[in-house]
Amino acid sequence: MYILGVSCDYHDSSAALLLDGQLVAAASEERFSRRKHDSAIPSLAIAWCLKHAGIQARDLGYVVFYEKPLLKFDRILATSVDYYPRALPFFREALLSWFSEKLWIKSRLLKTLGVPSERILFCEHHMAHAASAFYCSGFPEAAILTVDGIGEWATATIGEGRGREIRLPLEIRWPHSLGMLYSVFTAFLGFEVNEGEYKVMGMAPYGAPRYMDKVWKLVRASQDGAIELDLDYFSYHVTPRRAFSAKFLGLFGEPRSPYAVDQDQHYADIAASLQKVSEEILLRMARAATSRNGSKRLVMAGGVALNCVANGRIQDEAGIDELFIQPAAGDGGASLGAALWAWHTVLGRPRGTPLRHVSWGRAVPTREIQTELEVTGASGVALKSQEELLDRATEDLLAGKVIGWSQGRFEWGPRALGNRSILADPRRGETRDLVNTKIKFRETFRPFAPSLTEDSAARYFDQPLECQPTAKFMLRTAAVRSDMRIRIPAVTHVDGSARPHLVERMANPLFYGLIRRFGDASGHPVLLNTSFNLRGEPIVASASDALSTFFRSGLDVLYLENYRIAKPVSG
Ligand SMILES: [Fe+2]
């Protein structure tokens, strides 16, 4: 039976297709529509999933939506009543979008897919997050922690999974939300909410957490994982226009300008303080989740589970043996959870194989590359074998070139894990600024991740990363060994940490081969890896995206499947 999971209408819409409980295709809509964080009904991603499986919509056993719209609407109504009349502007705007579109998701899905209405199911939002984490983990039992900004009412849940059963008995409810706390500071620091949270995390190591006591004024956290915000500091629950109140500004001063380019110590210190407090809260939640049912295993999902620094601390300090975080932990990954929930919980089918890799998107066919090369007039050389591809790419990397690398099916989740990546030699310190400014056109403080062969992790990190799924999916930070920091400066953050991506030979043989070959020649089986996109754009998906990004950036060479494409020599 085919089951299609769908998420949309908030941000990062996506589709995920299962066949008899096993994932066959999954993709974010933004990769096809080219609109970053596209929240529209994911008709392009759905059409591609169906085409990939060779089926029509009428062949779908179920279509499962990643939240319950009526429950969410109930929360909006109740909030408006609770905070009347302050919440009037919020309510007015919410009503418009809900009555014009969101409430009618069932009929919109029916219209898009043409399936009978009894085949459409709705899964509670945090259950979708929980299901995506637990069912993909492969763990027979585990504690479950989900944390995000907001779903219907819940903003965090704690529970457990056993076999195919999931229970989420504890929840924190709107407007109390750790995700919202982080997002409010994201807005205050001049970044876009639901996008700039990574930037806050990247900024934090440049600051000192000297405002932690001020951040603690905003939030009370107990040892059992519960949190309560002091709502006097916030206004996100009453107006869509501003997230923080005058009282908040009284504590932290004027917001950082969205156009600020230079690093300002005051704001970096605020970012560092927020990050530290968030880590403390998440650690308490993680400990509460595991101690509740005595499990040594924890699974996590929800947008906040993409906080790599906190994840590193949970992995190392929460007293657990195993941690699994669904690589598409945000709302874009909840479509997968919704589909898995239908298969295991509604239909009661047994567990399947765990999620071992993220290569679930569309691959670029050769004929598409040939057509694009003709259209653009770019000169591409078809390499004859994988050996030649690896040789040439290694040569380019050793010569200091920055390469675009588009191979196989694009990744599920926000991270580029060697299928749609920009790669460079990590031994050159200057590479970092070069890639940030000339290639990705973004802030110079943004860090890059090292992709390294799994078997060489112990050489670069003290933590036992080899067995950790969080390191395989680039979901945690870890301290680079002090003697190695000067060896791979382009991927070591200012505080000596890095966000490692351990590459398994089985999970991605071609990328593993490239890192291995680079290591044989350079002595370091490590590559600088960042997502193949320009600032503000989705990661490339098609041949046309890859070529267009290549020509609009300072990238030196593009490896698009077996084609090596260079830029014409000017002058
Ligand atoms: Fe969510």
Side-chain angles (χ1 to χ4, degrees), residues 119-142:
R119 288 204 213 156
I120 296 185
L121 303 176
F122 293 86
C123 173
E124 279 188 30
H125 185 65
H126 276 257
M127 178 56 83
H129 280 316
S132 80
F134 180 61
Y135 294 134
C136 290
S137 70
F139 298 160
E141 57 74 34

Side-chain angles (χ1 to χ4, degrees), residues 454-503:
E454 180 189 32
D455 25 9
S456 61
R459 216 179 127 198
Y460 298 91
F461 298 92
D462 286 323
Q463 289 98 334
L465 301 179
E466 301 82 20
C467 317
Q468 299 181 357
T470 46
K472 289 171 189 163
F473 294 133
M474 208 196 270
L475 284 164
R476 64 158 298 169
T477 54
V480 179
R481 289 174 61 137
S482 49
D483 55 328
M484 282 297 161
R485 290 176 189 176
I486 50 163
R487 308 268 178 228
I488 50 168
V491 290
T492 304
H493 213 355
V494 59
D495 61 356
S497 72
R499 190 160 37 107
H501 167 215
L502 261 54
V503 184

Side-chain angles (χ1 to χ4, degrees), residues 95-160:
L95 267 193
L96 272 177
S97 78
W98 276 82
F99 276 116
S100 62
E101 267 202 327
K102 293 181 180 174
L103 265 181
W104 322 121
I105 180 66
K106 190 166 187 173
S107 51
R108 285 158 59 217
L109 283 172
L110 289 174
K111 205 168 129 197
T112 306
L113 291 162
V115 295
S117 77
E118 65 272 17
R119 288 204 213 156
I120 296 185
L121 303 176
F122 293 86
C123 173
E124 279 188 30
H125 185 65
H126 276 257
M127 178 56 83
H129 280 316
S132 80
F134 180 61
Y135 294 134
C136 290
S137 70
F139 298 160
E141 57 74 34
I144 299 175
L145 172 62
T146 65
V147 196
D148 69 1
I150 176 62
E152 295 104 356
W153 275 102
T155 63
T157 66
I158 283 178
E160 60 269 326

Side-chain angles (χ1 to χ4, degrees), residues 153-157 170-174 176-178 225-227 285:
W153 275 102
T155 63
T157 66
L170 302 181
E171 65 178 33
I172 296 167
R173 284 162 81 88
W174 175 267
H176 304 285
S177 161
L178 179 59
I227 61 160
M285 287 178 168

Side-chain angles (χ1 to χ4, degrees), residues 76-277:
I76 288 166
L77 283 179
T79 306
S80 307
V81 173
D82 283 353
Y83 298 99
Y84 181 85
R86 276 176 73 208
L88 260 183
F90 179 86
F91 185 57
R92 216 173 276 139
E93 218 151 286
L95 267 193
L96 272 177
S97 78
W98 276 82
F99 276 116
S100 62
E101 267 202 327
K102 293 181 180 174
L103 265 181
W104 322 121
I105 180 66
K106 190 166 187 173
S107 51
R108 285 158 59 217
L109 283 172
L110 289 174
K111 205 168 129 197
T112 306
L113 291 162
V115 295
S117 77
E118 65 272 17
R119 288 204 213 156
I120 296 185
L121 303 176
F122 293 86
C123 173
E124 279 188 30
H125 185 65
H126 276 257
M127 178 56 83
H129 280 316
S132 80
F134 180 61
Y135 294 134
C136 290
S137 70
F139 298 160
E141 57 74 34
I144 299 175
L145 172 62
T146 65
V147 196
D148 69 1
I150 176 62
E152 295 104 356
W153 275 102
T155 63
T157 66
I158 283 178
E160 60 269 326
R162 192 171 296 278
R164 55 183 176 72
E165 241 172 83
I166 291 178
R167 289 181 60 246
L168 300 173
L170 302 181
E171 65 178 33
I172 296 167
R173 284 162 81 88
W174 175 267
H176 304 285
S177 161
L178 179 59
M180 285 308 294
L181 176 72
Y182 212 93
S183 294
V184 166
F185 276 97
T186 301
F188 175 81
L189 292 169
F191 302 118
E192 206 177 313
V193 171
N194 292 328
E195 157 74 16
E197 282 77 1
Y198 290 120
K199 300 181 186 177
V200 176
M201 213 165 57
M203 200 186 204
Y206 289 91
R210 60 196 179 93
Y211 298 124
M212 275 176 79
D213 54 335
K214 288 191 179 185
V215 180
W216 278 121
K217 280 186 199 293
L218 313 183
V219 54
R220 252 205 325 272
S222 46
Q223 292 304 332
D224 64 359
I227 61 160
E228 198 177 331
L229 300 185
D230 183 340
L231 295 172
D232 289 348
Y233 290 99
F234 304 97
S235 52
Y236 62 79
H237 53 302
V238 289
T239 168
R241 311 220 186 287
R242 205 152 87 146
F244 37 81
S245 69
K247 195 169 171 184
F248 183 101
L249 296 179
L251 263 189
F252 295 102
E254 280 305 299
R256 177 174 174 267
S257 160
Y259 307 106
V261 184
D262 294 334
Q263 187 85 271
D264 182 314
Q265 198 54 47
H266 168 67
Y267 294 116
D269 291 347
I270 292 177
S273 311
L274 166 74
Q275 176 61 31
K276 268 278 173 311
V277 169

